[in-house]
Amino acid sequence: MELLLLGATGAVGREVLDMALADPSVSRITAPTRRALLPHDKLHNPVLDFDKGLPDADWWHADALVSCLGTTIRKAGDRAAFRRVDHDLILMCAHRAKTQETPVMVLNSSVGANPRSRNFYLRTKGEIEKSLQKLAFERLVLVRPSLIDAQRDEPRLAEQVSLLASRLMRPLTPARYRPVTARHIADCLLRATRGDAGVSVIESEKIRSAGA
Ligand SMILES: NC(=O)c1ccc[n+]([C@@H]2O[C@H](COP(=O)([O-])OP(=O)(O)OC[C@H]3O[C@@H](n4cnc5c(N)ncnc54)[C@H](OP(=O)(O)O)[C@@H]3O)[C@@H](O)[C@H]2O)c1
């Protein structure tokens, strides 16, 4: 399988990349990033300035596109900048891949994604899910993790507090809202590249069973 991976420098994307590099059934990985990745025989790593637009290239064609791309409102600066990444940029990349006849897309979305949500973050996640459905991939899988349990390069205080609280409250927390490790999500995303045609959703409580 040839894989196209977005967000390979992120917490989940790094895990997807490591797993895919180690997986003999994956013959080639194209991972466009802003920062160069460590070289590997199976890896093609176009380094792009995504703000300057996306290049026309053959490498948008793959057997499956996995997106772990995303930012936070804090990192992006404001809501509009957040939406440009978590909706517009993902959609533009998906459109390139679809135009180059990539048949399958798997999106790392979020628990609670809903285009009618009153919460801006969840609404944006719901909107990208909806926009991707309109592109009509042969197979589209929307994976909706709860809080991601991962080692991060940069401190995210609110996230760390939530993770700590979730660990303490784990027995009382419904399965859907329990933290899920970046590795389990990555495993699930990779497995989701294979399967029947159509649109499917994997909710957070199913990530481990769908991926383990
Ligand atoms: N944090 C949570 O608990 C949580 C929960 C549910 C869902 N999610 C969603 O899950 C997805 C993956 O999360 P994560 O924690 O793995 O994310 P992450 O660690 O923040 O990584 C995000 C990736 O997106 C890339 N990216 C961000 N802005 C970009 C831009 N303007 N142009 C090009 N690339 C850009 C980053 O590249 P650089 O390394 O160059 O910045 C990185 O590769 C995100 O969509 C997130 O919203 C997160």
Side-chain angles (χ1 to χ4, degrees), residues 9-12 34-35 69-70 108-109 121 125 148 152 156:
T9 53
V12 177
R34 298 191 285 193
R35 299 178 279 139
L69 196 70
N108 188 150
S109 180
Y121 174 86
K125 294 295 186 189
I148 298 173
R152 299 208 176 264
R156 292 189 184 176

Side-chain angles (χ1 to χ4, degrees), residues 6-15 32-35 37 48-51 54 67-72 75-76 81-82 84-86 89-90 93 107-111 121-122 125 128 143-154 156 159 162-163 179-180 182 185 189 204:
L6 304 175
T9 53
V12 177
R14 273 197 304 259
E15 297 284 356
T33 54
R34 298 191 285 193
R35 299 178 279 139
L37 297 163
L48 306 181
D49 180 348
F50 289 76
D51 292 335
L54 302 175
S67 174
C68 304
L69 196 70
T71 187
T72 60
K75 246 173 132 173
F82 167 79
R84 278 200 294 277
V85 177
D86 280 58
L89 183 55
I90 293 174
C93 292
L107 175 72
N108 188 150
S109 180
S110 170
V111 68
Y121 174 86
L122 298 179
K125 294 295 186 189
I128 183 59
V143 177
R144 293 180 176 162
S146 178
L147 192 61
I148 298 173
D149 191 347
Q151 298 285 345
R152 299 208 176 264
D153 299 337
E154 89 278 12
R156 292 189 184 176
E159 218 169 272
S162 301
L163 269 174
V180 54
I185 301 167
L189 292 167
S204 200

Side-chain angles (χ1 to χ4, degrees), residues 6-197:
L6 304 175
T9 53
V12 177
R14 273 197 304 259
E15 297 284 356
V16 174
L17 180 62
D18 285 353
M19 282 183 188
L21 289 174
D23 182 345
S25 72
V26 180
S27 53
R28 185 170 169 82
I29 304 144
T30 297
T33 54
R34 298 191 285 193
R35 299 178 279 139
L37 297 163
L38 285 177
H40 188 286
D41 287 350
K42 270 166 51 169
L43 177 65
H44 174 222
N45 178 216
V47 176
L48 306 181
D49 180 348
F50 289 76
D51 292 335
K52 291 195 173 146
L54 302 175
D56 278 324
D58 292 347
W59 52 254
W60 291 105
H61 173 78
D63 296 306
L65 165 62
V66 173
S67 174
C68 304
L69 196 70
T71 187
T72 60
I73 297 173
R74 178 187 282 257
K75 246 173 132 173
D78 59 28
R79 286 178 169 201
F82 167 79
R83 197 177 189 284
R84 278 200 294 277
V85 177
D86 280 58
H87 181 276
D88 302 352
L89 183 55
I90 293 174
L91 184 59
M92 283 192 290
C93 292
H95 187 264
R96 286 292 159 111
K98 183 68 180 35
T99 305
Q100 295 272 354
E101 297 180 0
T102 297
V104 175
M105 173 154 190
V106 181
L107 175 72
N108 188 150
S109 180
S110 170
V111 68
N114 180 348
R116 289 177 304 283
S117 175
R118 280 203 251 171
N119 175 293
F120 176 76
Y121 174 86
L122 298 179
R123 192 163 69 246
T124 307
K125 294 295 186 189
E127 284 169 354
I128 183 59
E129 289 189 351
K130 202 171 155 191
S131 299
L132 291 177
Q133 291 185 47
K134 290 186 187 149
L135 289 186
F137 283 94
E138 268 174 51
R139 173 173 169 80
L140 172 66
V141 186
L142 307 167
V143 177
R144 293 180 176 162
S146 178
L147 192 61
I148 298 173
D149 191 347
Q151 298 285 345
R152 299 208 176 264
D153 299 337
E154 89 278 12
R156 292 189 184 176
L157 191 60
E159 218 169 272
Q160 280 161 357
V161 170
S162 301
L163 269 174
L164 191 62
S166 310
R167 280 185 199 126
L168 294 172
M169 303 293 287
R170 189 173 176 87
L172 303 174
T173 309
R176 180 159 301 180
Y177 300 101
R178 289 181 189 159
V180 54
T181 65
R183 192 146 187 93
H184 278 121
I185 301 167
D187 192 20
C188 177
L189 292 167
L190 271 178
R191 285 174 184 249
T193 58
R194 296 180 167 98
D196 297 337

